[in-house]
Amino acid sequence: MRVLVTGGAGRLGRSVVSGLVDRGHDVTSVDIAEHTHASGAVGVRADLLDPAARAAAFERARPEAVVHLAGIAVPFARPDVETLQVNTGLAWAVLGEAVERGARCAVAASSPTVYGYNTPSWRPRYLPLDEEHPVEPWHAYGLSKAIVEQTVRALARTSSACTLCAVRPGYVVAPEEWAGAPTQQGHTMADRVADPELAAVSLFNYVDAGDVADLFARIVEHPERVEHGGVYNAVAADPLAVGPVDGLMARSHPGSAPVAGALADGRAVFSSAKARRDLGWAPTATWRDRLRSDRVR
């Protein structure tokens, strides 16, 4: 299958591209940065907010499926207005182009930040958080991702030939980060396990980049199984903590105290049961297997 991946040079994008190539797909990776892929994918440098550059990239790739990862990747990395403009503009442009050009499937990356945690007033209705839980973003990045999800729903209302959905990857861990390189917050994974305050910021969630790549591949390979216009959480089944996180959640996020007891059995704060049900996806990597014991203090 011909697959176009936007943001293919990024932390997650590299794993998605290599995973798709390994499964036999013909992959074109588009990014604003000059890049190549050892896997054999074609790398194209283009600003997808430029209509001419976007059209040229699509004409070159002739995609049957599109995986949209491009955008400002973390909260507060750029000014708020820029984050909103770039992430929402890219989503509408890329997903709309995919529909217009006859792609069978288009999937966009969202984020768990849409749930709106990390404010004193945050009070989850229940835990674990699934896709039915209300979203309440409070910063520009989370709002931009909520709009990406609404973009998927809007285009799905008028598109029957192209299946559209969004995925909320958790705190993505790239291969080099398992090996000890700093993660996106500047700490190593071993640091995050050793100090619960570091992992509490993202509600103790994590997911291996290769596992996320597997979910994206399942979506583009089996669009008939996908909820058209829907969204899927993608997180590891266990929390990034030595034991259950019910007490840690109650201390770090006091508004969660009334429902945190649901996590006493060791479950993660986020549920990915929907992806398992619809696509048979189950993350395989755990921090216990990937981190050497001598690096976990």
Side-chain angles (χ1 to χ4, degrees):
M1 181 187 302
R2 296 185 303 276
V3 185
L4 186 151
V5 178
T6 75
R11 291 172 57 259
L12 175 57
R14 295 190 299 272
S15 290
V16 171
V17 168
S18 63
L20 288 167
V21 171
D22 288 346
R23 295 166 82 116
H25 298 292
D26 180 3
V27 181
T28 299
S29 168
V30 183
D31 204 290
I32 58 172
E34 195 71 46
H35 64 292
T36 58
H37 289 279
S39 61
V42 175
V44 175
R45 183 178 183 181
D47 179 356
L48 292 167
L49 286 173
D50 180 295
R54 185 172 64 251
F58 271 80
E59 287 169 7
R60 178 172 182 167
R62 297 181 297 112
E64 298 166 275
V66 174
V67 178
H68 175 52
L69 310 176
I72 296 171
V74 294
F76 312 115
R78 307 290 282 272
D80 288 348
V81 171
E82 183 179 355
T83 295
L84 279 167
Q85 291 174 333
V86 169
N87 287 354
T88 60
L90 277 171
W92 186 267
V94 170
L95 298 176
E97 192 91 25
V99 171
E100 290 179 11
R101 291 182 177 269
R104 294 176 54 235
C105 180
V107 51
S110 182
S111 164
T113 59
V114 298
Y115 289 109
Y117 48 88
N118 285 330
T119 66
S121 62
W122 184 65
R123 289 173 173 78
R125 277 64 163 180
Y126 56 84
L127 293 173
L129 297 166
D130 61 17
E131 294 84 355
E132 298 301 315
H133 192 284
V135 298
E136 299 171 325
W138 63 270
H139 51 55
Y141 176 80
L143 177 59
S144 76
K145 291 301 186 177
I147 296 173
V148 168
E149 294 180 6
Q150 287 294 336
T151 299
V152 164
R153 295 185 185 102
L155 290 170
R157 293 185 186 109
T158 58
S159 171
S160 58
C162 179
T163 299
L164 297 113
C165 71
V167 170
R168 297 169 181 161
Y171 193 91
V172 174
V173 187
E176 65 273 15
E177 294 165 350
W178 286 125
T183 66
Q184 58 188 285
Q185 284 186 323
H187 318 103
T188 68
M189 288 299 290
D191 292 336
R192 292 174 65 77
V193 173
D195 184 352
E197 290 187 8
L198 299 178
V201 175
S202 54
L203 304 192
F204 307 96
N205 93 81
Y206 73 99
V207 66
D208 176 64
D211 281 336
V212 182
D214 176 57
L215 178 55
F216 279 115
R218 289 170 184 259
I219 288 169
V220 302
E221 290 168 354
H222 299 287
E224 73 282 359
R225 300 181 186 174
V226 173
E227 179 189 2
H228 187 38
V231 61
Y232 293 91
N233 288 346
V235 296
D238 62 332
L240 192 68
V242 174
V245 294
D246 51 324
L248 293 172
M249 280 291 293
R251 288 195 295 273
S252 301
H253 302 274
S256 72
V259 294
L263 307 175
D265 58 2
R267 283 183 291 175
V269 180
F270 301 90
S271 169
S272 299
K274 182 179 176 182
R276 180 190 290 271
R277 181 197 71 203
D278 289 1
L279 293 148
W281 180 76
T284 60
T286 71
W287 66 265
R288 292 171 178 81
D289 294 335
R290 293 300 178 91
L291 294 182
R292 296 200 316 267
S293 59
D294 61 344
R295 285 190 314 205
V296 180
R297 297 188 295 273

